[in-house]
Amino acid sequence: MNKEIRDICIDTGLRVRCFGVPFIILVLENSSIRSKEKLWEMYRSFYGAVFSRDIVEKNIEYLED
């Protein structure tokens, strides 16, 4: 991560694969949400609002540490 991002964001430790692309989930430094489980729930629900359940289940993946 570049310095500007490191100064305002925190790595949550949550890793996901979205439509085949791996992502590191970050939060703003002042975010009250730090739980991996809560962030994972929010991440999936975001895509669930746009895509069908079948598409989300096939394309949104929690990556274990």
Side-chain angles (χ1 to χ4, degrees):
M1 288 189 289
N2 66 35
K3 182 179 177 350
E4 291 80 15
I5 298 295
R6 284 192 312 262
D7 287 347
I8 61 170
C9 293
I10 295 171
D11 183 348
T12 64
L14 177 59
R15 305 295 186 261
V16 300
R17 187 178 335 271
C18 182
F19 294 94
V21 179
F23 287 92
I24 296 170
I25 304 303
L26 306 173
V27 295
L28 291 175
E29 189 173 52
N30 62 356
S31 174
S32 62
I33 302 170
R34 300 285 171 92
S35 160
K36 281 186 191 180
E37 293 78 19
K38 180 64 177 168
L39 290 166
W40 171 239
E41 180 183 308
M42 291 172 62
Y43 190 85
R44 279 186 53 104
S45 70
F46 173 80
Y47 285 98
V50 178
F51 298 106
S52 71
R53 178 180 294 231
D54 185 51
I55 290 173
V56 171
E57 288 177 1
K58 289 179 181 176
N59 295 287
I60 308 299
E61 178 184 0
Y62 182 102
L63 300 177
E64 298 294 326
D65 295 337

